[in-house]
Amino acid sequence: MRITFLGTGSAMPTGSRFQTGIVVEDDGRRVLVDCGSGVLHRLQQSGVGYENVSTVLLTHHHVDHVSDLMALLKARWLAGEEQLEVVGPTGTKAFIEGLLSVHDYLDGRVDLQVREVVPGEEFSVAGFDVEGFETRHSMDCLAYRFGDAFTFSGDSEAFEGLANFSDGSDVLAHDCSFPDEVDVSNHPTPSQLGEALSGTDIGRVYLTHLYPHTDGNHEAMLKSIAEHYDGDVGFAEDLLSVEI
């Protein structure tokens, strides 16, 4: 399996980190998890290409996770691609209908299939067996686990349930939006994440969804996590590709 981080930033642009998007690939199968601003460009820079992404799996509907979705649909239509599947949590069908009511000229341009999944459900998407888990965020949001290979936290506070859901993964990409000095809810700080992950067995943890506040604080953030969690932790970067 190969994981490619297309966007590791947040709703506040830095110029070097685009918004959330991760490509999961294995044996000819491919799914794009989230599609924030800049992800369409990163798809081209990564060599994956929007023509080769026919399935998008959404963690939730905040704009920094979905803002390139209609741009992806339009690019695929103009390239002559005929299909796009969007899978996401409850409310995804209504969300897509709302987007198409605004961008009505895109309605019907491709065969658009929309499917909703619920927490605790094991489902198939783009040939992958995936399980969803409800996170702690300011709107309904799902973390996703791709077998024992890869887990993505989506947006979430760090908590024991999500850590247990991720336990045993070869790679975990986890929201770590702010350094410890920032008082925040709906996202974790490094000390909170380290405490939650304590006692888990994860091959490598990549920190993502990084706000500008984290710039210049990477070393301190890693040290803070290490006070509670002794596993392998590093920062994700845009266009980083990891073979599992």
Side-chain angles (χ1 to χ4, degrees):
M1 181 179 287
R2 177 174 292 276
I3 308 301
T4 303
F5 292 92
L6 301 177
T8 59
S10 68
M12 297 175 66
T14 67
S16 61
R17 296 182 185 275
F18 289 172
Q19 293 177 355
T20 301
I22 300 175
V23 174
V24 181
E25 301 175 282
D26 187 38
D27 195 25
R29 299 169 293 169
R30 183 179 297 108
V31 60
L32 171 63
V33 184
D34 284 345
C35 193
S37 177
V39 165
L40 190 63
H41 294 283
R42 290 289 196 226
L43 277 170
Q44 301 313 103
Q45 294 170 346
S46 70
V48 174
Y50 59 81
E51 305 94 332
N52 298 314
V53 173
S54 59
T55 304
V56 182
L57 179 62
L58 299 178
T59 60
H60 64 301
H61 305 142
H62 274 156
V63 66
D64 52 317
H65 293 255
V66 301
S67 58
D68 267 9
L69 188 57
M70 289 294 102
L72 173 63
L73 187 156
K74 182 172 182 177
R76 286 183 57 78
W77 161 47
L78 294 176
E81 302 296 333
E82 297 180 351
Q83 295 179 323
L84 182 66
E85 181 183 30
V86 179
V87 182
T90 300
T92 296
K93 290 181 179 179
F95 173 70
I96 298 299
E97 288 173 0
L99 288 177
L100 289 174
S101 71
V102 174
H103 307 284
D104 56 353
Y105 75 101
L106 294 176
D107 196 4
R109 297 297 187 176
V110 302
D111 179 14
L112 179 61
Q113 302 294 321
V114 183
R115 181 159 49 105
E116 296 182 348
V117 293
V118 297
E121 178 183 357
E122 295 183 7
F123 58 95
S124 178
V125 59
F128 293 97
D129 293 326
V130 181
E131 183 179 357
F133 183 84
E134 185 175 5
T135 74
R136 294 179 180 175
H137 195 45
S138 54
M139 69 158 48
D140 289 346
C141 180
L142 296 179
Y144 294 117
R145 178 162 177 153
F146 293 74
D148 289 337
F150 177 59
T151 300
F152 178 42
S153 72
D155 282 10
S156 181
E157 298 176 6
F159 64 102
E160 184 179 1
L162 182 52
N164 290 340
F165 177 72
S166 308
D167 196 8
S169 298
D170 294 325
V171 170
L172 165 64
H174 202 293
D175 178 354
C176 195
S177 293
F178 297 95
D180 283 329
E181 306 84 68
V182 178
D183 183 15
V184 62
S185 60
N186 303 312
H187 298 284
T189 61
S191 61
Q192 293 167 346
L193 180 56
E195 290 173 2
L197 293 178
S198 178
T200 60
D201 182 15
I202 296 168
R204 182 165 175 80
V205 178
Y206 286 95
L207 309 181
T208 190
H209 203 270
L210 303 166
Y211 273 77
H213 308 63
T214 64
D215 290 350
N217 290 300
H218 287 194
E219 185 176 344
M221 291 173 69
L222 292 176
K223 182 177 180 181
S224 183
I225 292 173
E227 291 178 359
H228 307 279
Y229 174 70
D230 60 4
D232 186 7
V233 183
F235 282 83
E237 303 288 343
D238 285 23
L239 298 177
L240 171 67
S241 193
V242 178
E243 192 79 33
I244 303 176

